[in-house]
Amino acid sequence: MAPIINAQEISKQYGITPLFQNVSFTVSEGDRIGLIGPNGSGKSTLMEILYGRVKPDTGEVATRKRARLSYVAQVSDFAPGETVRSVIENALEVAAVPHVQRPARTFEALGRAGFIDFEAPAATLSGGWRKRLRITEGLVQGADILLLDEPTNH
């Protein structure tokens, strides 16, 4: 399978303590990879480096041209005023889904995820439902790689 992400010799530290050093790996089409380690070992930081939100101290991450990545962070907070529907509509806009397809895709995604009240304020959902909404948001973007940071933790 063709590689989507290639990480070479990446390292990251905060203060004098390294989180990880000289990490190299490739993520290819069809791969499903789990990252396991104790709290504070750098799992979230590594995902944020892959997503491009954080820069490694050394090494580089190469992403295939036009590859789409979606990142579901460990904490699933929402801004005041965001509704279940607006979160998914915004995700479809970011993914450049044609306007004419957005209503059907929104209803399908939220229905499959088990949401009933599409106008519910996202910030008032329980922890589990907020995480479910963030995962649904990541999925509707049609990403080549979906990075899930502790998807069952809420």
Side-chain angles (χ1 to χ4, degrees):
M1 295 282 185
I4 301 172
I5 292 180
N6 186 15
Q8 290 297 313
E9 302 285 320
I10 60 174
S11 299
K12 188 67 178 178
Q13 70 180 50
Y14 290 105
I16 61 169
T17 306
L19 287 175
F20 46 84
Q21 295 177 306
N22 303 318
V23 174
S24 297
F25 60 91
T26 299
V27 179
S28 298
E29 292 178 24
D31 285 351
R32 287 181 171 83
I33 299 170
L35 185 58
I36 301 169
N39 289 342
S41 63
K43 300 179 301 291
S44 296
T45 300
L46 179 58
M47 285 194 198
E48 289 183 335
I49 288 171
L50 296 177
Y51 189 62
R53 187 174 287 163
V54 172
K55 295 275 189 203
D57 295 333
T58 63
E60 66 179 49
V61 175
T63 304
R64 183 175 69 195
K65 192 181 256 186
R66 292 189 293 280
R68 294 172 299 175
L69 278 66
S70 185
Y71 176 66
V72 177
Q74 193 174 98
V75 177
S76 298
D77 289 333
F78 294 93
E82 284 187 294
T83 65
V84 168
R85 177 196 312 261
S86 72
V87 168
I88 301 307
E89 288 173 343
N90 291 338
L92 293 170
E93 184 174 337
V94 167
V97 171
H99 290 282
V100 69
Q101 295 178 11
R102 291 180 193 173
R105 297 260 310 259
T106 298
F107 282 101
E108 178 183 10
L110 291 174
R112 283 182 179 219
F115 287 93
I116 297 170
D117 183 1
F118 296 178
E119 302 310 320
T124 65
L125 297 172
S126 70
W129 282 100
R130 285 194 317 268
K131 182 62 75 176
R132 183 182 295 223
L133 182 56
R134 282 292 186 214
I135 292 170
T136 304
E137 175 188 37
L139 289 170
V140 300
Q141 294 178 39
D144 298 299
I145 293 183
L146 178 59
L147 299 164
L148 301 170
D149 191 353
E150 298 201 32
T152 60
N153 188 15
H154 51 77

